[in-house]
Amino acid sequence: SLACPSSVPGSVNASDGSSTTQVTITWGSVTNATGYNIYRATTSGGTYSLIGTSVSTTYNDTTGVVGTT
């Protein structure tokens, strides 16, 4: 069974967009977390889709479209 997180990561940041091939996303660790799921929505409050996973507090997103958030 999967355990639900007791908290969410804080201090989420994304690279400045100077790279044309990826955006690096970083965040603060969550106590006892063994991995993180990374989601994206194309509109604020929109439907979120899983884009990747990470066992660390960094994810390199190579699937984004230039000019979108």
Side-chain angles (χ1 to χ4, degrees), residues 26-42:
T26 60
W27 57 88
S29 63
V30 173
T31 303
N32 297 322
T34 57
Y36 301 91
N37 293 325
I38 297 87
Y39 292 85
R40 176 190 301 118
T42 56

Side-chain angles (χ1 to χ4, degrees), residues 2-64:
L2 296 174
C4 292
S6 58
S7 62
V8 296
S11 304
V12 177
N13 295 292
S15 57
D16 64 8
S18 59
S19 172
T20 59
T21 59
Q22 70 182 25
V23 173
T24 300
I25 305 165
T26 60
W27 57 88
S29 63
V30 173
T31 303
N32 297 322
T34 57
Y36 301 91
N37 293 325
I38 297 87
Y39 292 85
R40 176 190 301 118
T42 56
T43 60
S44 178
T47 302
Y48 288 84
S49 299
L50 181 69
I51 62 167
T53 61
S54 179
V55 296
S56 70
T57 57
T58 300
Y59 179 75
N60 292 314
D61 179 5
T62 59
T63 63

